[in-house]
Amino acid sequence: MILSIDTSCDDTSAAVITLDSKVLSNIISSQTHIHTRFGGVVPELACRFHVEYIDEIVQQALDVAGVTIGDIQYVAPTIGPGLSPALLIGLTFAKGLAASQGITFLPIHHLEGHLLSPFVHGNNVPDHAVGLVISGGHTELYEVKGLFEYEKLGSTQDDAVGEAYDKVAKMLGLGYPGGPILEKRALDGNQKAIPFPRPMIKNKNCHFSFSGLKTAVMVYLRNNETYSEADVCASFQRAVLDTLISKSQRAVDETGANKLAVCGGVSCNQFLRNGLTDHFQKRGVETFFAQPEYCTDNAAMIGFVASKYVQQNRIYDQSRLETLDAHPNFTIATYHDLIFT
Ligand code: KG4
Ligand code: ZN
């Protein structure tokens, strides 16, 4: 059994997963109610919450799985990227367990967790796919060449797509986190009402930019005394969808992959799911989406990656554990070099 832990941002999560990648529990304690009144994640508060609840969340993960700490052979915390002090709490807790219980320690990269999250429920990672990560902190395209081999094709040059959702929702006074609320408001709107820009859509690369779109919404709101909130939401979402489709299509064309795996908090969005599925199905590209509980930050996706490492005998050298630090900004490639060489 593997106990995985994710404290990369504002959710405290622990999961138990078998060595053959079956998720037995996935407990996620959301801090949304704490950060709502500040309109965004406050790192100090996130840390305080992680410290206060991590014991309880881990115990719940064990209880729901019907196991005790004595059954756990591997402990797999997220090492990065994320908020440095928040990451440290999960990492230090896991180090403590490893030392006190003699459990093998296996640190995991948060984005590798997201990238493989669409395959957790089917437990089958394809040999070749394009991975689209759309979350609050990341907007990136990867070529996934089977397990453990990823090539970054492009990323956002400024805001992440979830950040743009949250900021536009804030401008409209819709509340936090804005993504899901904005999606609901858009249901009553007209996608074609306002011609917001599709940033960088004509550039011949897989990079994104969402700050211009956010600014275009701000300018529109400033220049119009009255407007339909639902139309703004629907037109904004359409611009996001067109951009994601265009860049993902470019990635599919460049790599020759016939599978697209979409993950991250924003992939909860049904409008984006339907739009991407519709576009790619017509072109013979199979789409995979993470199940809703594996879209936003969660420890099950971290445990899933850990189980794949264990299955291939890729184990971290325990003698280096004491000096291992959190890595708030590192790439998957740097992670592989640091942990496995
Ligand atoms: O993956 P995640 O939990 O955090 C990061 O690792 O960044 O993603 C959180 C982001 C937030 O920006 C939130 O507004 C967005 O995902 N989100 C959505 C929806 N549900 C969550 N955005 C658009 N539509 C949704 N339904
Ligand atoms: Zn995340």
Side-chain angles (χ1 to χ4, degrees):
M1 304 270 180
I2 297 166
L3 170 68
S4 53
I5 296 171
D6 186 89
T7 58
S8 57
C9 191
D10 61 333
D11 293 320
T12 319
S13 182
V16 174
I17 184 158
T18 62
L19 295 185
D20 57 357
S21 314
K22 282 196 199 75
V23 178
L24 300 184
S25 63
N26 182 34
I27 309 296
I28 305 167
S29 177
S30 165
Q31 301 180 9
T32 303
H33 59 290
I34 292 171
H35 302 284
T36 296
R37 66 197 157 108
F38 301 103
V41 176
V42 182
E44 291 77 9
L45 287 179
C47 288
R48 208 179 300 166
F49 186 92
H50 288 314
V51 170
E52 201 171 326
Y53 289 100
I54 192 159
D55 268 316
E56 197 179 316
I57 300 303
V58 166
Q59 191 56 50
Q60 274 185 39
L62 296 171
D63 291 346
V64 171
V67 300
T68 67
I69 196 70
D71 298 312
I72 300 296
Q73 292 150 283
Y74 297 89
V75 60
T78 297
I79 180 177
L83 298 173
S84 179
L87 287 164
L88 267 177
I89 291 160
L91 203 64
T92 310
F93 187 89
K95 278 187 182 184
L97 273 184
S100 65
Q101 307 288 326
I103 301 173
T104 306
F105 185 94
L106 188 51
I108 300 295
H109 193 285
H110 186 72
L111 285 185
E112 195 168 7
H114 274 307
L115 271 176
L116 297 194
S117 63
F119 308 113
V120 173
H121 58 284
N123 193 5
N124 186 21
V125 181
D127 290 338
H128 194 206
V130 163
L132 171 65
V133 187
I134 41 175
S135 74
H138 301 273
T139 303
E140 296 179 359
L141 273 163
Y142 286 85
E143 182 176 11
V144 181
K145 301 172 186 170
L147 276 172
F148 316 132
E149 225 196 306
Y150 315 92
E151 193 172 325
K152 195 164 165 179
L153 302 170
S155 60
T156 182
Q157 308 296 290
D158 39 59
D159 291 358
V161 63
E163 204 177 336
Y165 261 95
D166 294 340
K167 285 179 180 164
V168 167
K170 197 170 177 179
M171 288 175 211
L172 291 166
L174 296 181
Y176 170 86
I181 312 173
L182 195 156
E183 181 186 8
K184 262 199 209 115
R185 280 305 280 128
L187 290 175
D188 305 321
N190 173 5
Q191 298 171 32
K192 294 190 183 141
I194 310 157
F196 288 133
R198 276 69 172 147
M200 290 179 61
I201 209 165
K202 293 208 174 91
N203 297 22
K204 292 188 176 14
N205 58 41
C206 292
H207 293 307
F208 300 90
S209 162
F210 286 101
S211 83
L213 173 58
K214 176 193 71 187
T215 307
V217 176
M218 191 175 76
V219 170
Y220 177 84
L221 298 181
R222 201 184 286 154
N223 291 347
N224 291 276
E225 252 171 50
T226 58
Y227 53 81
S228 155
E229 199 174 88
D231 283 353
V232 173
C233 292
S235 302
F236 166 79
Q237 284 215 115
R238 184 72 233 182
V240 170
L241 175 62
D242 287 347
T243 309
L244 295 179
I245 286 177
S246 157
K247 294 295 178 174
S248 304
Q249 182 64 55
R250 177 167 290 281
V252 163
D253 293 342
E254 272 182 19
T255 58
N258 63 2
K259 295 181 172 61
L260 173 71
V262 191
C263 58
V266 180
S267 70
C268 291
N269 186 297
Q270 204 55 51
F271 171 78
L272 298 180
R273 282 184 180 227
N274 293 345
L276 285 162
T277 305
D278 194 42
H279 173 91
F280 283 101
Q281 241 170 22
K282 284 183 192 140
R283 289 158 182 83
V285 177
E286 194 179 355
T287 46
F288 297 80
F289 294 91
Q291 289 202 334
E293 69 267 35
Y294 305 139
C295 282
T296 48
D297 289 346
N298 68 91
M301 67 183 188
I302 302 300
F304 183 74
V305 175
S307 70
K308 296 299 173 197
Y309 279 117
V310 173
Q311 284 161 27
Q312 300 210 353
N313 253 329
R314 291 187 183 216
I315 305 298
Y316 177 63
D317 175 1
Q318 305 291 298
S319 68
R320 293 156 61 196
L321 180 56
E322 222 169 284
T323 53
L324 185 71
D325 212 348
H327 287 262
N329 285 314
F330 70 167
T331 63
I332 301 181
T334 315
Y335 159 79
H336 282 165
D337 288 348
L338 181 82
I339 301 300
F340 298 108
T341 53

